[in-house]
């Protein structure tokens, strides 16, 4: 008999990413007795500093911010009941086009094979049954999200496939509801130009292309509280303005596209562990 617990590993780029797209599944599967492992690739040093100070502005101290965000991440993991946190601690690369992209120590500049080798060690240690990360565009083009996808897929090639591999996504119908909610809660959203509008329209997937819809409504409170634990980045976490009830209405189903599978479980599915239990 194999007494190893079924294991979910989520590979994310920054502190707070774990809560946004996967907080519900991490909380749900922890409650169901699965082992949950979070790998956070960067230190988050390009996040906001005290008082909302931005990278490059006077008073922005990446090392101090990284320490603060590590503490917030640990609090989020406690709320979501994550079994194991692993930090790769690469330097945050910032948004695409920022000068920090070019820093030699940044995650974006790290050779894929180097990051993949480190992640492969964690795959061998935890032997995850289910692996979750971003799609090839990092969902919205963030360099560290793209790099997280690259090292994850390369690490899987090194170690052999997990039973199931997923990329986070959002249905296009939900993206439309997000836009409506932002206006509802008073977000100052400028009208995008044609290029921006085209890029926004490409975020997520048509509903019919999404393979996996996981109901995490019962864990909406944990997900909201995990996001709130990242208080230093509250200015950038729009969802907190909604309050827990409205947040759960909008964010109570987490969606994925299944990209590797050895179980033969039929899609669409409503469980990342379908075919494994």
């Amino acid at each position: 008999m194999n007494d190893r617990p079924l294991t979910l590993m989520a590979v994310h780029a920054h502190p707070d990413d774990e809560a946004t797209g996967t907080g519900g599944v991490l909380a749900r599967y922890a409650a169901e007795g699965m082992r949950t492992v979070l790998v956070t690739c960067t230190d988050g040093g390009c996040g906001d500093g005290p008082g909302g100070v931005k990278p490059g502005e006077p008073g922005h101290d990446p090392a101090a911010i990284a320490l603060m965000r590590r503490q917030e991440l640990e609090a989020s993991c406690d709320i979501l009941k994550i079994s194991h946190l692993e930090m790769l601690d690469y330097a945050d690369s910032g948004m695409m086009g920022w000068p920090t992209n070019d820093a030699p120590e940044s995650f974006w500049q790290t050779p894929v094979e180097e990051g993949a080798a480190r992640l492969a060690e964690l795959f061998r240690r935890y032997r995850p049954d289910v692996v979750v990360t971003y799609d090839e565009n990092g969902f919205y083009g963030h360099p560290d999200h793209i790099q997280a996808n690259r090292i994850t897929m390369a690490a899987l090639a090194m170690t052999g496939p997990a039973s199931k591999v997923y990329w986070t996504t959002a249905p296009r119908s939900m993206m439309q509801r997000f836009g409506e909610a932002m206006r509802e809660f008073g977000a100052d959203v400028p009208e995008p130009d044609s290029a921006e509008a085209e890029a926004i329209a490409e975020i997520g997937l048509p509903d019919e292309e999404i393979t996996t819809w996981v109901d995490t409504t019962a864990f909406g409170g944990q997900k909201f509280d995990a996001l709130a634990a990242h208080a230093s980045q509250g200015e950038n976490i729009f969802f907190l303005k909604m309050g827990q009830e409205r947040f759960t209405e909008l964010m109570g189903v987490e969606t994925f596209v299944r990209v590797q599978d050895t179980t033969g479980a039929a899609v669409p599915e409503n469980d990342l562990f379908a075919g494994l239990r």
Side-chain angles (χ1 to χ4, degrees):
M1 294 288 291
N2 182 3
D3 59 0
R4 182 180 64 85
L6 285 171
T7 300
L8 165 65
M9 179 182 284
V11 182
H12 280 292
H14 312 98
D16 76 26
D17 289 333
E18 79 290 340
T20 306
T22 58
V25 292
L26 287 165
R28 171 179 164 168
Y29 291 121
E32 293 180 5
M34 313 301 187
R35 181 172 61 172
T36 53
V37 181
L38 170 64
V39 180
T40 301
C41 296
T42 80
D43 60 10
C46 284
D48 286 359
V53 62
K54 308 296 182 186
E57 294 180 349
H60 188 277
D61 181 348
I65 292 165
L67 176 60
M68 175 175 59
R69 298 194 71 184
R70 171 64 183 255
Q71 294 166 345
E72 293 174 341
L73 178 60
E74 290 172 350
S76 172
C77 288
D78 287 343
I79 292 165
L80 297 173
K81 309 301 182 187
I82 290 170
S83 309
H84 301 275
L85 169 64
E86 298 285 350
M87 297 283 292
L88 299 186
D89 271 331
Y90 290 108
D92 189 343
S93 309
M95 299 296 285
M96 190 67 81
W98 287 11
T100 45
N101 295 174
D102 300 322
E105 68 277 11
S106 73
F107 189 38
W108 185 237
Q109 292 297 322
T110 299
V112 169
E113 59 272 20
E114 176 190 318
R118 293 183 61 196
L119 185 57
E121 291 180 11
L122 298 178
F123 283 167
R124 294 186 185 103
R125 182 186 311 168
Y126 292 107
R127 292 185 291 158
D129 303 281
V130 176
V131 174
V132 176
T133 191
Y134 314 99
D135 64 22
E136 293 164 312
N137 190 46
F139 186 59
Y140 66 97
H142 193 297
D144 288 332
H145 292 221
I146 294 170
Q147 190 76 328
N149 167 277
R150 290 173 176 171
I151 72 163
T152 300
M153 303 313 291
L156 287 165
M158 291 176 180
T159 61
S163 295
K164 306 183 86 175
V165 179
Y166 294 90
W167 293 346
T168 57
T169 191
R172 298 255 169 90
S173 60
M174 186 182 296
M175 296 301 295
Q176 182 177 351
R177 293 204 302 276
F178 286 159
E180 293 166 356
M182 291 177 75
R183 288 186 287 274
E184 175 187 345
F185 286 89
D188 182 17
V189 183
E191 192 69 27
D193 61 30
S194 58
E196 290 171 332
E198 186 175 337
I200 291 169
E202 292 301 312
I203 293 176
L205 288 174
D207 292 29
E208 64 272 15
E209 293 182 20
I210 291 173
T211 62
T212 311
W213 306 68
V214 184
D215 184 356
T216 61
T217 305
F219 303 93
Q222 278 176 265
K223 182 171 176 173
F224 183 88
D225 290 345
L227 268 176
H230 296 280
S232 69
Q233 308 306 305
E235 180 183 325
N236 298 320
I237 303 176
F238 167 78
F239 302 114
L240 295 175
K241 299 175 183 178
M242 299 179 181
Q244 182 179 312
E245 182 177 351
R246 186 77 170 106
F247 172 86
T248 300
E249 286 177 12
L250 282 171
M251 305 285 284
V253 175
E254 293 181 350
T255 51
F256 307 85
V257 59
R258 194 173 82 190
V259 295
Q260 291 184 13
D261 174 67
T262 65
T263 70
V267 292
E269 59 187 0
N270 59 11
D271 179 9
L272 296 180
F273 287 89
L276 291 168
R277 55 175 175 168

